Amino acid sequence: MADTLRAPGREPAAGAAPPRRAWTVVLAGLGALLCSLDVVVVSTALPALRADFGASLSDLEWTINAYNLVFACLTLTGAALGDRFGRRRMYVVGLAVFTLASALAALAGGAGQLIAARVVQGAGAAVLLPLTLTLISEAFPAEKRGVAIGVWGGVTGLGVAAGPVLGGAVTEGLSWQWIFWLNVPTGLAMLPLAALKLRESHGPRPQLDVVGLVLAAVGLTGLAWAPVRAPEAGWGSAEVLGALTVGIVFVAAFVGWERSRARYPMLPLAYFKRRGFSTANGAVFLMFMSLLGSLFMISQLFQLGLGNSPLEAGVRILVWTGMPLAVAPVAGALADRFGNRPFMLGGLVLQAVGLGLLARQIEPGVSYGSLVLPLIVAGIGISMVFPTVANAVTSSVPPGDAGVAAGVNNALRELGGVFGVAVAAAVFTRYGGYGSAASFVDGCGPALWVSAGAAAVGALVAAFAPSRAQAQKLDASHAPAEQREVSRVRA
């Protein structure tokens, strides 16, 4: 029987179908590529959208944040659905929703319709992306997982790298609609392959924690809504304060429910007591806050501040966003030998240094040559963090809960992206604007300094991650408790 349930630390039952590892890496990688691509592909199309739809700064933010917001708030739900109804089955469902939403985005006749389609896209990605990591964790043993996740990180980095270039080339050569149309044939080709080639598996929880899903979704939505709306409504407005209050109340209610009331908790809170789990999640939040905030500004800087075309802007950004394709697989492989902490810490330091150097160079008429080195340094930094933070999260929990770990990790990274874009936009409007190239540059520099600061704080968090030896010792000490938890959940 292909469907097998694995308790933590157990191999598949004798006679079970072996995982198709090559197909798993290919299909999981392509799923991650689509999701990561659509986080950033819109970035170089922002000026075209502004001209085509007469879009405001708020509209431009929402074309990115609508996707990230729903992605962040529903990714725990996506992971839970995979554990309950089957990871292969829900991967196919998420891919189908994502593909349909891409067609709707391409057909949008205004900013509102495009934002609505991006909401649906985010919902599909929230199911799709966490299951890519779960499928890999299920298919590979712990000692080989770093290499596989390194490949996953490289492909994810390819999405980040290709996004600005592809968006610029398509926007300039065809139209912005084609950045979404390209997803459709890819998704349609992947659907039958995923249904046939992936091995089905389930998590250890036989029932959905419906109350927990609702509390988490509402709480995360409130926390994400506040920074998105703050630049326009004001941090002291009733809307923003109300959203923060709702978010805090519902997250607190979620914690209370998961701790004492849920029969099958969707998120065992004890995992946050583990340094490997908590530091990796904190690091990924701050890394994406830095990455997407800076990308939001840099993709516009080359066009509005320095006068490049969309394609020229995408190609110039490639020295930054292209680094993960080459560096991430190497970092993932080396992490199996040296541990995740050196790469998480070093990567965030390099990201902070690179963005800081970039912010220092930004001035009217700055040459591209003076920006290349800072972009490369920051790109190497994010390349080191992509695979190692994912490996740290999934390896710090029992194999059966890899979906939960991936869901938390993706929720926090997308939430970090929402905060990053919102904070960067708020700082930009405080010091500059769209009135002229000089005005744009005036606002861009301070926004990039804030993004560099977020990466620096992330490096401080990563410094507290356990070393390889400490992680192995902690894993051994946690094993008995994990077995008791699985027995309790299945009782």
Side-chain angles (χ1 to χ4, degrees), residues 290-291 294 298 319-321 323-324 347-358 372-385:
S290 171
L291 174 60
S294 56
I298 292 170
V319 297
W320 173 36
T321 57
M323 288 295 111
L348 283 161
V349 168
L350 289 176
Q351 185 175 346
V353 169
L355 292 178
L357 291 172
L358 191 69
V372 170
L373 180 60
L375 288 171
I376 291 175
V377 171
I380 293 173
I382 63 174
S383 306
M384 295 166 64
V385 181

Side-chain angles (χ1 to χ4, degrees), residues 65-482:
N65 277 338
Y67 179 86
N68 291 341
L69 179 66
V70 176
F71 199 163
C73 296
L74 295 184
T75 190
L76 276 176
T77 303
L81 290 172
D83 284 353
R84 173 64 182 88
F85 296 110
R87 290 152 178 168
R88 179 184 63 192
R89 180 180 295 115
M90 295 311 301
Y91 179 94
V92 171
V93 170
L95 180 59
V97 171
F98 184 91
T99 303
L100 174 62
S102 296
L104 294 175
L107 294 170
Q113 294 177 17
L114 176 59
I115 291 168
R118 293 281 283 169
V119 167
V120 181
Q121 249 193 335
V127 177
L128 186 60
L129 186 60
L131 295 181
T132 63
L133 267 179
T134 310
L135 290 165
I136 288 176
S137 297
E138 182 73 16
F140 287 86
E143 65 273 11
K144 296 182 179 179
R145 198 174 298 149
V147 176
I149 292 180
V151 173
W152 175 91
V155 173
T156 303
L158 175 61
V160 176
V165 178
L166 181 62
V170 170
T171 299
E172 187 173 334
L174 296 169
S175 68
W176 64 263
Q177 286 88 347
W178 280 94
I179 65 179
F180 299 110
W181 279 127
L182 291 175
N183 292 336
V184 177
T186 306
L188 292 175
M190 289 173 60
L191 283 169
L193 289 173
L196 293 172
K197 298 297 185 180
L198 294 176
R199 186 173 69 87
E200 186 64 284
S201 64
H202 296 76
R205 294 165 183 79
Q207 294 180 9
L208 278 179
D209 177 16
V210 177
V211 174
L213 290 175
V214 173
L215 292 174
V218 175
L220 289 172
T221 299
L223 292 178
W225 186 271
V228 168
R229 290 289 297 142
E232 186 171 346
W235 282 100
S237 67
E239 178 185 357
V240 171
L241 292 177
L244 283 173
T245 301
V246 168
I248 292 170
V249 168
F250 273 79
V251 168
F254 170 75
V255 171
W257 172 263
E258 295 293 295
R259 178 177 293 167
S260 58
R261 300 287 300 278
R263 184 179 181 186
Y264 301 104
M266 62 182 289
L267 175 59
L269 298 176
Y271 290 161
F272 282 100
K273 296 179 181 179
R274 303 183 181 188
R275 285 168 53 198
F277 186 81
S278 57
T279 54
N281 280 307
V284 82
F285 176 89
L286 290 159
M287 192 268 271
F288 264 75
M289 181 178 177
S290 171
L291 174 60
L292 290 193
S294 56
L295 180 63
F296 180 75
M297 298 310 308
I298 292 170
S299 59
Q300 297 182 80
L301 168 69
F302 280 108
Q303 297 178 69
L304 302 179
L306 303 181
N308 298 132
S309 69
L311 177 58
E312 290 171 339
V315 171
R316 281 163 170 75
I317 293 172
L318 191 60
V319 297
W320 173 36
T321 57
M323 288 295 111
L325 184 60
V327 178
V330 177
L334 291 176
D336 282 338
R337 181 176 181 182
F338 299 107
N340 296 302
R341 183 175 66 181
F343 300 93
M344 290 166 53
L345 173 59
L348 283 161
V349 168
L350 289 176
Q351 185 175 346
V353 169
L355 292 178
L357 291 172
L358 191 69
R360 187 178 179 182
Q361 296 285 353
I362 297 299
E363 61 182 21
V366 63
S367 68
Y368 174 67
S370 62
L371 305 180
V372 170
L373 180 60
L375 288 171
I376 291 175
V377 171
I380 293 173
I382 63 174
S383 306
M384 295 166 64
V385 181
F386 267 129
T388 51
V389 76
N391 194 19
V393 166
T394 54
S395 63
S396 63
V397 303
D401 272 346
V404 173
V408 173
N409 188 248
N410 283 291
L412 289 173
R413 90 177 205 173
E414 299 307 322
L415 197 61
V418 170
F419 272 78
V421 173
V423 171
V427 174
F428 169 75
T429 56
R430 171 67 176 82
Y431 293 97
Y434 287 111
S436 66
S439 178
F440 186 91
V441 170
D442 287 342
C444 185
L448 289 177
W449 276 116
V450 172
S451 295
V457 176
L460 291 177
V461 172
F464 289 93
S467 66
R468 183 171 182 268
Q470 289 170 333
Q472 290 174 336
K473 184 176 180 180
L474 288 170
D475 286 344
S477 68
H478 286 313
E482 290 164 359

